[in-house]
Amino acid sequence: MTDTRIDPPVAADERTMLRAWLDWHRETLAVKCEGLTEEQLRLRSVPPSSMSLLGLVRHMADVERAWFRRRLNGEDLDGIYYSDDDPDGEFDNVDTASAEEAFATWREEIKHARAAEAACADLDVIARTPTRDGRHNSLRWIMCHMIEEYARHNGHADLLRERVDGVTGE
């Protein structure tokens, strides 16, 4: 695997540090998927889980959209790969899904997320749309949560990649 990640700085202001760590984790997911065929990207973990690397990419596209566009910006958007009728669609419906489309969509959602974050005056900006439980999170909270979300799923990605071809790494 080619590691294209840029290490976060060891000292920086809070916003620079949060951006750098989030981007590092975004690229970690890309590194974990690099060089695999669509069939390999679709390979499931272990029953009953429907998790796959392709499913993780699709899931993170939806997560980027949910936190930065729907909640932070208040955009009225549906999920990309899931719905109320199919709440795990991003994971369950990968058998014929296009990896090229999923990666393009994920990268596009990251682009929108970066723009939404950059448009905020500071980390204390409050999201326009509340979460399901009524909370209006700050941009700081959203960025910390996104780092946590990627870190957790990158652990899954590491195990999935090892299952596919034995490759491990940071």
Side-chain angles (χ1 to χ4, degrees), residues 81-169:
Y81 300 110
Y82 75 92
S83 66
D84 289 341
D85 294 333
D86 192 7
D88 293 319
E90 70 267 46
F91 292 111
D92 293 344
N93 304 321
V94 298
D95 292 338
T96 60
S98 164
E100 182 178 341
E101 179 278 329
F103 278 92
T105 298
W106 175 55
R107 291 285 186 202
E108 187 66 20
E109 289 302 324
I110 290 170
K111 185 173 97 176
H112 286 294
R114 286 181 178 137
E117 179 269 320
C120 293
D122 58 53
L123 294 169
D124 294 321
V125 167
I126 300 298
R128 292 183 180 142
T129 303
T131 60
R132 283 178 234 137
D133 62 0
R135 294 178 298 153
H136 284 268
N137 304 85
S138 69
L139 174 59
R140 177 181 288 104
W141 188 96
I142 290 169
M143 292 186 73
C144 287
H145 173 70
M146 289 298 294
I147 292 166
E148 176 274 328
E149 182 90 8
Y150 271 102
R152 182 166 35 94
H153 288 312
N154 284 337
H156 299 137
D158 199 36
L159 294 170
L160 286 161
R161 180 64 190 248
E162 186 175 10
R163 181 168 190 253
V164 170
D165 65 1
V167 172
T168 61

Side-chain angles (χ1 to χ4, degrees), residues 58-74:
R58 289 161 46 104
H59 175 68
M60 292 313 298
D62 268 319
V63 171
E64 294 273 2
R65 175 180 277 210
W67 283 107
F68 289 101
R69 296 179 73 187
R70 294 172 67 194
R71 294 220 168 73
L72 184 63
N73 274 359

